[in-house]
Amino acid sequence: MIFSNMVLIPKCKSRVILFLWLLGITALLNGSAVEARIRRYKWEVKYDYKSPDCLKKLVITINGGTPGPTITAQQNDTIIVELTNGLLTENVAIHWHGIRQIGTPWFDGTEGVTQCPILPGTTFKYQFVVDRAGTYLYHAHYGMQREAGLYGSIIVGLPDGKSEPFTYDYDRNIILNDWYHKSTYEQAAGLSAIPFQWVGEPQSLLIHGRGKFNCSTLTTPSLDAGICNATNPDCEPFRLIAVPGKTYRLRISSLTALSALSFQIEGHNMTVVEADGHYVEPFVVQNLFLYSGETYSVLVKADQDPTRNYWITSNIVGRSAPKTPPGLGVFVYYPNHPRRSPPTTPPPPPLWNNTDPRLAQSHAIKARQGYIHTPPSRSDRVIVFLNTQNTINGNVRWSVNNVSFALPHTPYLIALKENLTHVFDQTPPPDGYDFQNYDIRIVQENRNATSSNGVYRLNFNSTVDIILQNANSMSLGTSETHPWHLHGHDFWVLGYGEGKFDMFNDPKKYNLVNPIMKNTVPVHPYGWTALRFRADNPGAWAFHCHIESHFYMGMGVVFAEGIDKVGKLPSSAMGCGETQGLYRP
């Protein structure tokens, strides 16, 4: 095709031009044209018996492991994952958390929103571009499978020749998790039961897939005496080998099913430099607070006494008197023996019910100078989401503005693109609540809610403000921390506040100078969080609480924008609801 536009010219000039043309092609090949690579992965998802906290149970693995393989790429690379569902009796879908899926909304991996689930025994090909450097995640987005072990990391580096605004010697990746012994089926059955059966607190905390459950606390003797084995190598503590004097970039992520966490390395400061793929104006912490779905990069220098090892700990915060023991790992100073325990007891955690340091960290996260993306000065639409706990026909549900979310049988993206208006409620959910009369600090007399699968239709390229307002649950004096995650976008975090949001005065306090951009953010107990984003990514996108049980119980919404600009949907995303006859493997 290049040669078709060439014209006949004198021989000597033609040689010069041909040389220059070849030189240009060589420059292209050495430059941006080859910076984007294709990274291919073949995964089989299946159940395996594992003992991540010493108790053997069925977990969902990728190629036999949990956490799954880390996807490592460079900015603008194309990722191709051929996923075979080997679960035999379960569907599956995988969400690429933090990847905006620009131009590929059907590969967001959200069952019921962007695709039909992947059926047992079938293979589905995800293909998308990672367009920004940073630390991201992937995890199951079907039912509550994420907490069964189906998760992993996505690490995206800068293109060759580009550098980050901080230096380090080594790059390490740590995923934090909580761990239940009950299966997700048992938990879901309890959440849907009358009377309601709460999932309870997790049995263990895992540091990169490893924890330690106290087998002696088992109250029911097991038929299999080896079901809990403290010497199982699967539950050897996570160990990070550190060379004295070197600086480590630790990419720390949380994929907890329920818990907010604090993370610390005994005796070491951590400098926060990245959050959800965006550079942070550096600040120092001893405890890093993480909420499910968040990712951070911290710099840690191995500058303490090198003759001993140090504890790495994770602890639950924000939940009443945590009964779950801490997650423990070891920061090993080379050449000390990796199995040598620190000579101290693990450092005490922050007080579980002290919200001040958690709020302080939220306020401290600002965009780094030189990397600020200034938000639009005003929004076109304001939507207030009141987080409430309710009942519907005797079932306990979580709701937004007293409306509990329910997924339709036909995914939204397909229904919207094909104009299947009858498959979900066409009445838009409410943009707010009774601001004047609603007391966020009491248990409401009328706890009833309604259920809906309606969507919020956003004008394409409009600027939208979201106010997340926390309130009392159905338990007196209880307001939980909710981490909210937005698919398909990053948003500016304009501010946090305590109490009820004042829509006249609080917007005057918004940070419009250097707000951080994120994809996941907490709303603190009895508080509010203000976000702003551009509805500039054609598709249908979930926005939901990242706590597994809360989303399962209805704490989420869906935004639709620019549907007319969405390209032709692949038939592989179909096969459920009213698209059953459209699937072509």
Side-chain angles (χ1 to χ4, degrees):
M1 189 161 60
I2 295 173
F3 290 97
S4 64
N5 292 325
M6 292 182 68
V7 295
L8 292 174
I9 49 179
K11 185 180 290 186
C12 61
K13 288 186 178 180
S14 70
R15 288 174 179 169
V16 172
I17 291 173
L18 180 61
F19 172 77
L20 292 174
W21 176 75
L22 289 171
L23 199 63
I25 292 297
T26 303
L28 279 172
L29 291 172
N30 289 329
S32 59
V34 294
E35 285 178 3
R37 301 175 178 88
I38 296 176
R39 315 274 182 166
R40 296 180 182 273
Y41 299 85
K42 285 193 175 184
W43 290 354
E44 182 186 15
V45 172
K46 63 185 180 72
Y47 273 110
D48 283 297
Y49 279 106
K50 296 287 184 182
S51 304
D53 71 344
C54 302
L55 187 136
K56 183 166 69 174
K57 63 168 284 190
L58 277 174
V59 304
I60 302 178
T61 63
I62 298 177
N63 296 345
T66 178
T70 297
I71 291 177
T72 304
Q74 282 183 291
Q75 184 177 333
N76 296 322
D77 284 355
T78 295
I79 306 298
I80 299 177
V81 177
E82 292 184 52
L83 183 79
T84 299
N85 180 4
L87 297 180
L88 301 181
T89 60
E90 282 182 64
N91 300 328
V92 75
I94 291 189
H95 168 54
W96 314 95
H97 184 113
I99 307 302
R100 292 178 292 178
Q101 299 293 346
I102 296 171
T104 53
W106 45 82
F107 290 139
D108 184 56
T110 315
E111 182 270 334
V113 178
T114 61
Q115 72 168 92
C116 291
I118 305 165
L119 301 177
T122 63
T123 298
F124 184 89
K125 184 171 77 172
Y126 289 101
Q127 182 168 333
F128 53 88
V129 173
V130 288
D131 65 306
R132 291 167 307 143
T135 308
Y136 308 104
L137 298 162
Y138 65 83
H139 58 78
H141 219 295
Y142 179 83
M144 296 166 64
Q145 288 178 340
R146 187 184 86 218
E147 65 174 90
L150 183 45
Y151 61 87
S153 293
I154 304 172
I155 308 300
V156 183
L158 288 168
D160 293 338
K162 301 282 187 177
S163 60
E164 292 176 299
F166 46 83
T167 59
Y168 50 91
D169 300 296
Y170 299 102
D171 193 332
R172 298 291 184 265
N173 178 42
I174 301 173
I175 302 179
L176 306 179
N177 218 334
D178 49 13
W179 193 247
Y180 286 88
H181 292 165
K182 280 188 176 180
S183 71
T184 56
Y185 286 117
E186 293 174 280
Q187 293 184 47
L191 295 174
S192 302
I194 300 176
F196 176 72
Q197 297 173 39
W198 175 234
V199 298
E201 300 301 313
Q203 280 66 60
S204 305
L205 295 180
L206 306 184
I207 298 179
H208 214 67
R210 295 171 176 268
K212 186 73 73 173
F213 176 71
N214 185 354
C215 297
S216 66
T217 62
L218 285 175
T219 56
T220 304
S222 171
L223 296 176
D224 179 1
I227 197 169
C228 196
N229 179 4
T231 63
N232 191 315
D234 278 2
C235 59
E236 282 287 322
F238 171 81
R239 294 180 174 91
L240 194 153
I241 310 297
V243 177
K246 299 298 184 180
T247 297
Y248 288 78
R249 177 185 187 166
L250 304 184
R251 300 176 187 262
I252 306 170
S253 311
S254 171
L255 276 176
T256 52
L258 173 68
S259 312
L261 299 176
S262 72
F263 175 88
Q264 57 184 320
I265 301 175
E266 179 191 11
H268 292 73
N269 288 334
M270 295 179 283
T271 303
V272 181
V273 293
E274 180 215 350
D276 289 2
H278 292 276
Y279 296 132
V280 171
E281 189 65 23
F283 65 97
V284 176
V285 297
Q286 282 76 45
N287 284 284
L288 179 69
F289 297 103
L290 297 101
Y291 307 93
S292 181
E294 288 193 311
T295 67
Y296 288 96
S297 284
V298 299
L299 301 182
V300 178
K301 187 170 185 179
D303 58 1
Q304 299 301 301
D305 178 3
T307 64
R308 52 158 294 191
N309 296 335
Y310 297 82
W311 291 111
I312 299 172
T313 64
S314 66
N315 286 275
I316 293 176
V317 294
R319 296 197 61 80
S320 180
K323 301 175 180 62
T324 309
L328 295 177
V330 183
F331 195 71
V332 179
Y333 270 70
Y334 181 83
N336 296 330
H337 196 285
R339 292 181 181 272
R340 184 196 295 178
S341 292
T344 54
T345 58
L351 291 175
W352 67 270
N353 57 354
N354 184 1
T355 59
D356 290 344
R358 288 183 275 145
L359 270 167
Q361 178 179 299
S362 291
H363 286 298
I365 302 173
K366 310 294 184 188
R368 187 172 184 130
Q369 294 299 313
Y371 297 88
I372 297 170
H373 302 278
T374 305
S377 59
R378 59 179 57 85
S379 65
D380 302 303
R381 182 177 178 183
V382 178
I383 306 175
V384 182
F385 288 148
L386 174 71
N387 298 172
T388 59
Q389 197 177 48
N390 303 82
T391 58
I392 300 178
N393 300 324
N395 288 107
V396 177
R397 302 286 293 173
W398 281 99
S399 306
V400 176
N401 296 336
N402 288 333
V403 177
S404 189
F405 177 69
L407 282 169
H409 295 296
T410 303
Y412 288 107
L413 181 64
I414 301 169
L416 289 160
K417 182 66 176 174
E418 303 299 328
N419 202 29
L420 304 174
T421 57
H422 60 287
V423 301
F424 66 89
D425 190 347
Q426 295 301 299
T427 303
D431 274 18
Y433 69 106
D434 185 358
F435 173 78
Q436 294 294 333
N437 299 310
Y438 195 98
D439 188 342
I440 66 168
R441 294 187 177 272
I442 67 169
V443 177
Q444 299 300 306
E445 290 184 17
N446 180 8
R447 306 173 192 177
N448 292 323
T450 58
S451 180
S452 172
N453 56 21
V455 304
Y456 289 85
R457 296 176 186 263
L458 308 177
N459 291 331
F460 187 66
N461 265 335
S462 64
T463 300
V464 181
D465 278 4
I466 302 294
I467 312 301
L468 295 167
Q469 175 67 65
N470 218 336
N472 207 101
S473 70
M474 290 194 297
S475 300
L476 184 62
T478 302
S479 180
E480 299 188 24
T481 302
H482 298 288
W484 278 78
H485 170 58
L486 178 59
H487 294 225
H489 305 77
D490 290 336
F491 48 71
W492 290 276
V493 183
L494 301 184
Y496 301 86
E498 299 178 77
K500 186 188 288 188
F501 179 78
D502 183 334
M503 55 189 63
F504 301 104
N505 294 312
D506 284 330
K508 299 173 186 175
K509 307 171 191 173
Y510 284 171
N511 175 16
L512 300 176
V513 177
N514 61 345
I516 191 65
M517 296 192 79
K518 293 182 98 267
N519 61 62
T520 306
V521 72
V523 53
H524 295 286
Y526 298 113
W528 56 265
T529 302
L531 320 173
R532 180 169 292 175
F533 73 97
R534 291 290 300 274
D536 57 0
N537 192 5
W541 307 105
F543 181 47
H544 62 94
C545 179
H546 214 257
I547 293 173
E548 284 278 68
S549 52
H550 290 188
F551 185 43
Y552 177 83
M553 295 165 65
M555 200 174 197
V557 300
V558 167
F559 297 126
E561 62 200 60
I563 296 298
D564 59 318
K565 296 175 174 57
V566 172
K568 181 177 173 55
L569 301 179
S571 66
S572 61
M574 304 180 190
C576 59
E578 298 214 358
T579 72
Q580 290 185 39
L582 303 179
Y583 172 60
R584 298 289 184 272

